[in-house]
Every structure is written in C-alpha cells, then in structure tokens.
Amino acid sequence: MTTTRIPGFYRLSTKERFDMVTKDRGLTEDEVIYLSGREALSMDLADSMIENVVGQIGIPVGIASNFKINGKDTFIPMATEEPSVVAAASNAAKATYENGGFFTSMSGTIMRGQIQVLDVADPFAARAKIFEHKNEILQHCNEKDPTLVSLGGGAKDLEVNIIPTTNHQMLVIHLIVDTKDAMGANAVNTMAESVTPIIESITGGRVLLRIISNLADLRLVRARAVFSAEAFGGKEIIENIVSAFEFADFDPYRAATHNKGIMNGISAVVLATGNDTRAVEAGAHAYASRSGLYKSLTKWEINADGDLAGSIELPMAVGIVGGATKTHPVAQASLKIMGIKSAEELAGCIAAAGLAQNAAALRALSAEGIQRGHMSLHARNLAVMAGAKKSEIDVIVAQAIVEKDLRYDRILEITKTIQRGEIVGSNK
Ligand code: MEV
C-alpha cells in the first residue's frame, strides 16, 4: 500500500499527483479520461442521469493526503468548489498519522422505510395486528428483492409507531431493511410501496406515504482520532479547541456553522463517490437535533496523555453499488483510488474526512483565525482569474499577502505589472 504521507504533495503538478494516486488502482480508460478532466461526460450519459439536460458543471476533485484509516493509508478524493477544504483535511490528518490515524466502525447498513396509515379506527389494536402478521409482511417485501436477500440483506424487522398530530392519530410503520452495499432508497421504496394492500387489509386504514427515512439512525458511522498537542499547536490551542466545541454543542447558531464545516469534508467525499449528498446532509442535521437541541456532530476532549481526542457519529447512507456510484466513471475512479470494497468502509472514510475537516477548522479558528489560511488560496484563485500563468502565481500571491489586499482589481493590476516585466511594489 502506497503511503499517503507525501511531503510536498500539494506542490506536485496535477499530472504527477494523478499518476501517484491512480498507479496500480486498475482504473479503466474511461475512468482515467473523465477523472483527468480530458473529456466531459458524454451528453448521452448526462441525459440518462437526469432530465432536460443542456450541459454540465465541472467541480474539481482534489485528493486529501496523510489519511491512515483503520491502519490503511487511504487517499481521499474530495469534489468541492471551496478552496482550503482539501488542504485543511490533509493538514489535520497529518497531525493524527503518527498516532495511528483514524479508527472507524459502523452500526450496520440498515435503513428505515416509512409507511403512513391514516383513518385507522383502533390504532393500538391495528398495531398489535401488524406484529401478528410480521413474517408475512417481511416475506412479501423480500420477494421484491431476491438479489439483496441472496447477499444477506432484505427486510429484517418492523416497528410500528402511533403518532398523534393536530388532526389525526396516525399509524407509522417502519420497515427495517438491511441494504448492504447499496444506499438502499430504491430497494426500500419498492418494498414499502408493494406492501400497501396487505397493510390496508390488516389495519382497515388508508396508506398514504411510502418512502425511505433519511434519518438513518440504524446506519451510524463512528470515527475517532488523536491529534497530538505538539503536532496541533500546543496545550493552549487544544484547550481552545475543546472550548470551541463546547460553544457549538450548546449554541445552535454556532453548531450550524461548526457542522457546516464538517459537511465540507463529508459532502465532498460523498459527491466524489457519486453518492447522494442531500440524503447524507439531511440525515446528519436531523441526527444532530435528536435531543431537541441542534448539537455538534463531533466531540472534542483532552485525553489522559494531554492530547486532543476527537470523535464523530452520524448516519451515513452511502453505497458502492447502484445509481451514479456505478454509472459515473469518476465515482468509480474515486472508489478505486480509495481501494473501497464495501459501503461500510466508504462510510468510515467519509466520517474520517468530516472529523479531519472539523479539526482543521477549529484549530484555525482557535488560533490565528480562518482568514489567514484562506487568503493565499483565495489570492491564487483571483490570480488565475486575472490570467496569470502558472509560473507567475506564487509571486502574485506573495505580493497580495504582503499588501493584505485581496481585491480582484489589485490582483489584476499586480498580474499585469508582472506580465509587463516590471517590478511590483505596494504603490496601489
Ligand atoms: C467554512 O466553509 C467552514 C467554517 O466556517 C467551519 C467552522 O466555522 O467551524 C470555517
């Protein structure tokens, strides 16, 4: 296994980085072409993915380095339009590497399908009757997906809730389905729709909604890592990080931004692997609110050695079979780069990316503030927009930072001065 601890990785050319992370990964010709950006997806493929297609939008895929996950060095592909995200995740991961990196686990690959039943005269009796027919209901669901069942998955159990609302008391049945390596929405929705006649005949009620729940609380991923005080800026900074976490954990205004930072990492890997970013985001935020107060998805503590221990827990409904994970060549390339063999393994990598992202954000916020790190990346983007050549970018960025001026006009002026072969000064 190649090490992901590559000093100066960010300084390599895109071609050098590409070769390094794809070497011996068995990428197909198409995967190489599309990941390298040499060609856009064919419009036919795009048109088969969504409706009314007129074009495409390119999002860069970066590779976060320094990640060791469950003892395995793993390059993390991240699709994002936001500067600093990949660099920040890589930097935070570096501070865990010597401590063994990230350790992850998963509660299972179980999703819930909800069936809403209205107009039930005797909901408590109906609830009891549903349980009497549990085996028949589960068997009916499993007949809809023999492949999933042959892989050890399928409908495993039922839960029945009676929900009082303003106008009705409704019965809500949860189909508990093990979707294995699939995200599972198709399997679960098909099962939930197919049992409608049985449920109506058992309860005497009217089935209305039949749909998966994105609050995938039976599909929780957990990750943890130790960031040594020394590698992470010292005792004072790690104590400040704990205080920053406590702020988020008790103030929803801060928690929203704190969790947004976590999702910078999570959604980037979810997108790079062709998974459903909105499903994961909805699950994460609903889970963060489960106590009634919207809280942090991570926890930060000082451990017995005086180092910073971080952990994260959230629902992670991602798959490696089906949908865009299978049809999109870049998604396939991402999975190969990570060497992923199961949905559980992918979920662990995503959680590690989220934890690293949060560590990096809290570190920057608790020390120098977020803007310093952002400045040079922002200046780079502006220099590219101003038409700077690759060889000119470093000088332009350095000048903009000395001047502490990141206005596009000034960067354009610096770029033009350099391109005329003149010396730039701070005579703005
Ligand atoms: C910016 O995209 C993310 C942060 O705001 C996260 C945070 O505040 O923790 C830096």
Side-chain angles (χ1 to χ4, degrees):
M1 174 78 224
T2 345
T3 176
T4 57
R5 211 33 219 96
I6 306 163
F9 186 63
Y10 67 99
R11 277 200 222 99
L12 301 177
S13 68
T14 49
K15 165 92 174 66
E16 286 168 324
R17 273 196 296 266
F18 186 93
D19 291 346
M20 193 173 273
V21 302
T22 58
K23 191 166 164 269
D24 300 331
R25 296 304 163 112
L27 265 63
T28 63
E29 207 176 312
D30 266 2
E31 288 159 9
V32 168
I33 289 173
Y34 293 119
L35 176 63
S36 65
R38 288 215 301 272
E39 266 181 41
L41 288 182
S42 76
M43 285 302 263
D44 281 348
L45 178 54
D47 205 34
S48 71
M49 289 173 74
I50 64 161
E51 309 72 43
N52 301 352
V53 166
V54 295
Q56 299 173 37
I57 177 166
I59 299 285
V61 176
I63 299 287
S65 57
N66 304 325
F67 275 80
K68 190 195 277 289
I69 302 173
N70 299 326
K72 181 174 133 194
D73 276 46
T74 310
F75 286 119
I76 306 289
M78 303 178 83
T80 179
E81 87 304 337
E82 183 168 332
S84 299
V85 164
V86 180
S90 306
N91 280 336
K94 186 161 75 182
T96 70
Y97 193 89
E98 296 308 326
N99 298 322
F102 298 85
F103 298 89
T104 74
S105 62
M106 194 145 195
S107 66
T109 45
I110 307 234
M111 300 298 290
R112 294 172 185 272
Q114 294 192 293
I115 302 170
Q116 177 195 25
V117 195
L118 301 174
D119 307 334
V120 180
D122 49 356
F124 288 94
R127 180 174 186 271
K129 279 190 219 162
I130 288 170
F131 284 121
E132 287 160 33
H133 290 83
K134 178 170 132 176
N135 289 343
E136 179 193 337
I137 296 169
L138 296 181
Q139 193 186 336
H140 182 89
C141 289
N142 285 330
E143 279 162 11
K144 295 283 144 202
D145 203 333
T147 312
L148 183 59
V149 173
S150 74
L151 294 168
K156 302 286 182 190
D157 205 355
L158 290 182
E159 287 176 13
V160 187
N161 301 314
I162 296 165
I163 300 187
T165 68
T166 326
N167 301 316
H168 308 275
Q169 211 175 32
M170 62 181 76
L171 211 61
V172 177
I173 302 165
H174 285 191
L175 291 179
I176 308 295
V177 185
D178 191 342
T179 66
K180 295 286 173 193
D181 279 335
M183 183 273 184
N186 277 333
V188 171
N189 294 340
T190 305
M191 288 179 184
E193 288 188 6
S194 79
V195 286
T196 300
I198 304 180
I199 301 294
E200 288 186 337
S201 109
I202 295 170
T203 60
R206 176 170 65 93
V207 168
L208 192 57
L209 301 195
R210 296 141 311 158
I211 188 76
I212 197 164
S213 169
N214 288 123
L215 176 49
D217 59 356
L218 300 173
R219 200 171 190 166
L220 297 178
V221 65
R222 301 181 175 98
R224 68 177 174 88
V226 172
F227 300 75
S228 45
E230 200 190 338
F232 225 46
K235 183 170 178 292
E236 194 184 328
I237 288 191
I238 65 168
E239 283 171 0
N240 285 345
I241 289 176
V242 174
S243 301
F245 147 67
E246 286 168 347
F247 178 14
D249 215 30
F250 287 90
D251 177 359
Y253 287 94
R254 172 59 203 149
T257 321
H258 174 100
N259 287 343
K260 187 272 182 187
I262 294 172
M263 300 315 284
N264 277 345
I266 288 182
S267 298
V269 190
V270 172
L271 184 59
T273 56
N275 275 287
D276 183 340
T277 50
R278 289 82 54 218
V280 171
E281 282 156 10
H285 297 298
Y287 193 67
S289 317
R290 69 195 181 284
S291 66
L293 185 68
Y294 182 79
K295 286 189 157 279
S296 165
L297 289 165
T298 51
K299 302 276 181 212
W300 293 96
E301 310 158 290
I302 308 285
N303 70 12
D305 297 327
D307 292 322
L308 183 66
S311 52
I312 184 167
E313 175 178 299
L314 75 163
M316 191 51 68
V318 290
I320 60 166
V321 294
T325 58
K326 258 290 181 263
T327 55
H328 201 301
V330 175
Q332 281 292 305
S334 294
L335 292 173
K336 288 183 181 172
I337 287 170
M338 284 194 276
I340 293 293
K341 298 277 180 285
S342 70
E344 288 200 22
E345 211 184 333
L346 174 59
C349 293
I350 295 173
L355 183 61
Q357 208 70 53
N358 187 223
L362 295 187
R363 197 206 160 285
L365 288 166
S366 311
E368 70 273 5
I370 210 78
Q371 282 311 94
R372 197 163 93 190
H374 278 196
M375 256 172 83
S376 71
L377 286 159
H378 186 47
R380 286 191 98 73
N381 284 345
L382 294 177
V384 171
M385 274 169 62
K389 295 201 200 80
K390 205 165 180 223
S391 57
E392 296 160 352
I393 292 177
D394 282 347
V395 185
I396 298 166
V397 170
Q399 184 63 28
I401 286 176
V402 166
E403 294 180 15
K404 291 197 174 62
D405 191 344
L406 293 191
R407 286 169 311 126
Y408 176 69
D409 287 356
R410 177 59 192 147
I411 291 199
L412 184 63
E413 210 177 349
I414 298 174
T415 306
K416 284 187 174 157
T417 310
I418 288 174
Q419 289 179 341
R420 283 194 304 268
E422 294 167 16
I423 311 264
V424 276
S426 53
N427 53 336
K428 304 173 258 176

